[in-house]
Amino acid sequence: GVLFTQDLKPGRQRMASRIIGLVRRNFRDLDKRDFLLIYKAYIRPHLEYCIQAWSPYLERDMEVLERVQRSATRLLSGFARYGYEDRLRKLGITTLRKRRERGDLIEVYRIMSGREKIEKTQFFRQVRSEYDLRGHNLKIGKERSRLDIRKYSFSQRVVGSWNRLPQKVVDAQSINQFKNLLDRHWQDMDGGCGLHCLT
């Protein structure tokens, strides 16, 4: 189920912060393998709880979540002396913002390819233009939004990222193939900076 607070604000990062404190008190010398095991199993799920239904769009809310991951990456012995981006690179993980975008695109693929038991027209309006030869043939349209809550909802925020994907990515034959092709596409776009390590 999905839990809502009265003000509809996220609160799961508090639980993640408590777990970080617990790990800090009980594990003195964490190596990379043990950290990733603990982080992926007990900390990051709280930061990505129901993220397709609720995703932060205000910079301050995104920074709250990123700050928790930033704090977690300091748990490793000797990692505190590195900058945040360097710590992520050494761990083979990426920012939470990038993971949210990737998760959104995976969900769009699942819906558009019929792998979710959802009628895609409930979320998306497919658009075709004989004049637009760039991109792919599964482009979706963006609705006019008066309120931010609609503008940044799942079916609206994914439109640009999805429409920019090349045909070979959206033509993937399985979810795993889509993930691999997406990661490779991003790696090529970023000049091989390692975003394929989205684990």
Side-chain angles (χ1 to χ4, degrees), residues 85-144:
E85 295 296 328
D86 289 333
R87 294 197 300 271
L88 294 181
R89 200 172 299 112
K90 287 176 181 295
L91 289 167
I93 59 178
T94 188
T95 62
L96 294 172
R97 183 190 299 237
K98 198 68 176 176
R99 276 188 60 83
R100 287 192 297 273
E101 182 182 5
R102 182 177 187 260
D104 280 348
L105 290 173
I106 292 167
E107 190 59 28
V108 176
Y109 171 76
R110 291 168 64 101
I111 293 170
M112 295 297 285
S113 62
R115 285 170 170 80
E116 292 281 18
K117 296 188 182 348
I118 300 171
E119 180 53 52
K120 62 185 175 186
T121 55
Q122 291 181 328
F123 284 96
F124 307 116
R125 176 179 55 85
Q126 200 166 337
V127 294
R128 286 191 174 90
S129 171
E130 54 188 285
Y131 305 108
D132 187 2
L133 302 176
R134 292 180 298 174
H136 56 82
N137 60 4
L138 289 176
K139 290 190 175 181
I140 53 180
K142 197 167 197 172
E143 307 295 334
R144 187 180 296 274

Side-chain angles (χ1 to χ4, degrees), residues 68-191:
V68 176
Q69 178 168 271
R70 190 178 287 115
S71 174
T73 57
R74 290 194 191 100
L75 290 171
L76 282 96
S77 301
F79 265 56
R81 68 176 182 267
Y82 299 114
Y84 181 49
E85 295 296 328
D86 289 333
R87 294 197 300 271
L88 294 181
R89 200 172 299 112
K90 287 176 181 295
L91 289 167
I93 59 178
T94 188
T95 62
L96 294 172
R97 183 190 299 237
K98 198 68 176 176
R99 276 188 60 83
R100 287 192 297 273
E101 182 182 5
R102 182 177 187 260
D104 280 348
L105 290 173
I106 292 167
E107 190 59 28
V108 176
Y109 171 76
R110 291 168 64 101
I111 293 170
M112 295 297 285
S113 62
R115 285 170 170 80
E116 292 281 18
K117 296 188 182 348
I118 300 171
E119 180 53 52
K120 62 185 175 186
T121 55
Q122 291 181 328
F123 284 96
F124 307 116
R125 176 179 55 85
Q126 200 166 337
V127 294
R128 286 191 174 90
S129 171
E130 54 188 285
Y131 305 108
D132 187 2
L133 302 176
R134 292 180 298 174
H136 56 82
N137 60 4
L138 289 176
K139 290 190 175 181
I140 53 180
K142 197 167 197 172
E143 307 295 334
R144 187 180 296 274
S145 305
R146 189 172 57 85
L147 301 174
D148 279 351
I149 197 163
R150 171 69 176 146
K151 181 180 176 184
Y152 294 105
S153 65
F154 169 68
S155 63
Q156 299 301 297
R157 70 175 181 261
V158 298
V159 173
S161 298
W162 175 259
N163 287 347
R164 283 191 295 270
L165 294 178
Q167 188 72 49
K168 66 178 182 180
V169 176
V170 301
D171 281 346
Q173 298 301 302
S174 69
I175 294 169
N176 280 337
Q177 187 185 31
F178 176 80
K179 291 176 182 178
N180 292 332
L181 288 170
L182 174 63
D183 294 345
R184 206 168 301 136
H185 169 64
W186 276 350
Q187 183 185 10
D188 293 343
M189 294 288 289
D190 293 322

Side-chain angles (χ1 to χ4, degrees), residues 4-10 54 149:
F4 289 95
T5 58
Q6 284 185 326
D7 60 2
L8 298 179
K9 288 288 186 181
W54 173 89
I149 197 163

